[in-house]
Amino acid sequence: MFTKAIVRQPSSNFADGLTSVDLGVPDVDRALGQHRAYCEALVRCGLELIELERDAEFPDSTFVEDTAILTHRCAVVTRPGAASRTGETVSIAAALAPYYDRLCRIEPPGTVDGGDVCQIDEHFLIGISDRTNEDGATQLAEHLAAAGYTSRNVDIRGLDGLLHLKSGISYLGDGRVLVTEALAGEKGIEQYELVRAPDGEEYAANCVLVNGHILFANGFPRTKSMLDELGYQLIDIEMSEFQKMDGGLSCLSLRF
Ligand code: GLY
């Protein structure tokens, strides 16, 4: 069970953040409304929110998930792979310090974005991407191993349309993962029970399992009906403004 989540509202200059998609300029007021609904959903799932100050120094700082890997036994403060995001970890480390005795860090030349790290029970998949390099993945694997977890790398650098590993995969519990076609055949993934997001609904593959609920991006009816049929309790969230900035549901919180 999760009891808390760290969140941070999008800053006034959210639209100046990084993006690789061509979906238009996000509307900050609308993004704030969508973020509010997201936070309300987390509260509905039983979480207490730790709300950090908006930070216009870092336009991508609402995507808090990239700055840390949180487990039951340790926290790892990352070193985000985009230079404009490296400084985001300062306030995150401070926010985590009261809650973790074991707070490790990714050191240069390693880089890790939390969006590249998918926890499946006691095992972690670590995406090697344009943001997470092999040195960072090795450091992270060592920290996780010291805390009793296993991991394996999944190289996503040749896969189109995936900023992060979790842009295309989410753990649904009970050995089942929601995954895009592009990732479904990758070593380390194929052994799970796969629910495949249909072509055109790849964005829906990033969802968040929280205390028996699934936060799910609005607007992907075929994936939604697959999950409905499997009996999941979905909470639909409008994500249009975050999608414009390459952000998914998991990116908007650090749950622990
Ligand atoms: N806009 C999110 C990221 O590129 O990291």
Side-chain angles (χ1 to χ4, degrees), residues 17-19 60 63 66 85 113 131 163-164 245-247:
L18 301 168
T19 189
D60 281 304
F63 300 121
D66 290 318
R85 302 199 57 189
D113 274 16
R131 298 289 181 86
L163 173 66
H164 290 128
M245 300 307 291
D246 256 343

Side-chain angles (χ1 to χ4, degrees), residues 226-244:
M226 288 161 82
L227 296 181
D228 279 340
E229 275 171 32
L230 288 166
Y232 291 103
Q233 304 285 315
L234 302 188
I235 303 178
D236 285 1
I237 304 200
E238 185 54 62
M239 285 291 288
S240 62
E241 305 316 293
F242 297 104
Q243 189 176 6
K244 290 173 184 172

